[in-house]
């Protein structure tokens, strides 16, 4: 074996030994039944291996609706790192169904800090929902009446990122624009929407 071949194959060999899940994924990369085989791996995996597999799925970039649904079902976990790895992968596995978006937003209420990135879990979810796009807005609006602080922060963060695509959220946000713990994040979301929201705020002040 030449030096060039050793340089290429050695890191792969070490990865196969250190991470059995990596070996399984590499074997199935070109397999037409990849999704079914990955589903079996996920079903058998403990939390640590599940996180590893989910992190690799985010780089897949292929529509895998069954796997996407399995990841969404794990968003009730108490393990914030597991939830974060699932959320990160979901946008890359095809168009997200309304039920998947809802599970992502519901999971915001669990809060927590993602140790690997030192970011609040709600921000990680908002990042993922932003990647999915404006189709997340109707579900986000449904949760503007939540009493959960983490969830409200996450939802308003998402709405602010959607910009003028989020104009339907102006009316329910204005209703929440009152002194209290949600006032700042409500104002932030309205500012993110833009001119239409600013006009609504100015109209409220004149009343």
């Amino acid at each position: 074996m030449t030096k060039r071949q050793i340089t290429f194959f050695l890191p792969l060999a070490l990865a196969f030994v250190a991470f059995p899940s990596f070996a399984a994924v590499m074997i199935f990369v070109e397999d037409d039944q990849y999704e079914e085989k990955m589903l079996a791996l996920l079903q058998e995996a403990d939390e640590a291996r599940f996180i590893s597999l989910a992190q690799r799925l985010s780089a897949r970039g292929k529509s895998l609706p069954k796997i996407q649904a399995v990841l969404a079902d794990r968003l009730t976990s108490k393990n914030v790192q597991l939830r974060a790895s699932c959320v990160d992968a979901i946008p890359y596995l095809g168009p997200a169904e309304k039920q998947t978006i809802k599970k992502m937003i519901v999971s915001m209420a669990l809060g927590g800090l993602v140790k690997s990135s030192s970011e609040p879990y709600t921000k990680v979810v908002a990042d993922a929902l932003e990647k999915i796009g404006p189709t997340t807005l109707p579900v986000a609006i449904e949760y503007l009446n939540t009493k959960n602080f983490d969830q409200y922060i996450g939802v308003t963060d998402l709405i602010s990122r959607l910009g003028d695509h989020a104009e339907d959220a102006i009316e329910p946000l204005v209703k929440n624009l009152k002194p209290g713990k949600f006032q700042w994040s409500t104002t932030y979301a309205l500012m993110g929407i833009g001119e239409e929201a600013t006009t609504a705020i100015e109209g409220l002040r004149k009343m």
Side-chain angles (χ1 to χ4, degrees):
M1 183 176 287
T2 67
K3 182 177 180 180
R4 183 177 180 181
Q5 288 173 321
I6 293 172
T7 302
F8 178 78
F9 285 109
L10 183 58
L12 286 177
L14 292 173
F16 273 60
V17 172
F19 304 103
S21 60
F22 176 78
V25 171
M26 290 296 293
I27 290 169
F28 299 141
V29 161
E30 300 301 331
D31 194 325
D32 290 338
Q33 296 182 4
Y34 173 89
E35 186 168 29
E36 296 301 322
K37 293 178 179 178
M38 177 58 77
L39 284 170
L41 285 174
L42 290 169
Q43 186 175 5
E44 297 170 359
D46 59 18
E47 287 192 345
R49 192 178 183 197
F50 194 100
I51 291 170
S52 176
L53 290 170
Q55 289 170 340
R56 296 179 193 286
L57 282 166
S58 64
R60 181 79 177 163
K62 182 179 179 181
S63 182
L64 299 169
K66 292 180 182 177
I67 291 177
Q68 188 183 67
V70 167
L71 298 186
D73 285 342
R74 295 300 295 268
L75 296 182
T76 57
S77 173
K78 293 181 180 179
N79 185 330
V80 65
Q81 190 65 47
L82 188 147
R83 279 186 274 124
S85 63
C86 291
V87 161
D88 281 339
I90 284 173
Y92 299 102
L93 302 178
E97 297 288 337
K98 180 179 179 179
Q99 193 62 26
T100 296
I101 295 168
K102 184 174 182 178
K103 288 176 180 178
M104 293 171 76
I105 292 177
V106 167
S107 75
M108 287 178 170
L110 298 172
L113 187 70
V114 182
K115 291 181 180 179
S116 60
S117 61
S118 298
E119 291 181 327
Y121 175 69
T122 52
K123 181 183 180 302
V124 175
V125 181
D127 289 344
L129 290 167
E130 183 184 13
K131 291 184 179 78
I132 294 171
T135 57
T136 61
L137 181 64
V139 184
I141 290 173
E142 291 178 21
Y143 285 87
L144 284 175
N145 62 353
T146 182
K147 302 300 181 186
N148 182 283
F149 184 74
D150 286 321
Q151 191 174 53
Y152 193 84
I153 292 295
V155 169
T156 49
D157 182 13
L158 169 63
I159 290 172
S160 73
R161 300 178 191 211
L162 295 176
D164 56 13
H165 293 291
E167 289 183 357
D168 287 347
I170 293 174
E171 184 177 344
L173 283 168
V174 168
K175 289 179 180 178
N176 289 349
L177 196 58
K178 51 192 175 184
K181 64 180 181 179
F182 295 151
Q183 184 178 18
W184 186 90
S185 53
T186 301
T187 303
Y188 180 76
L190 287 165
M191 289 173 62
I193 295 172
E195 187 176 346
E196 288 293 326
T198 303
T199 302
I201 295 172
E202 289 300 323
L204 185 65
R205 286 174 178 171
K206 293 176 182 178
M207 291 176 64

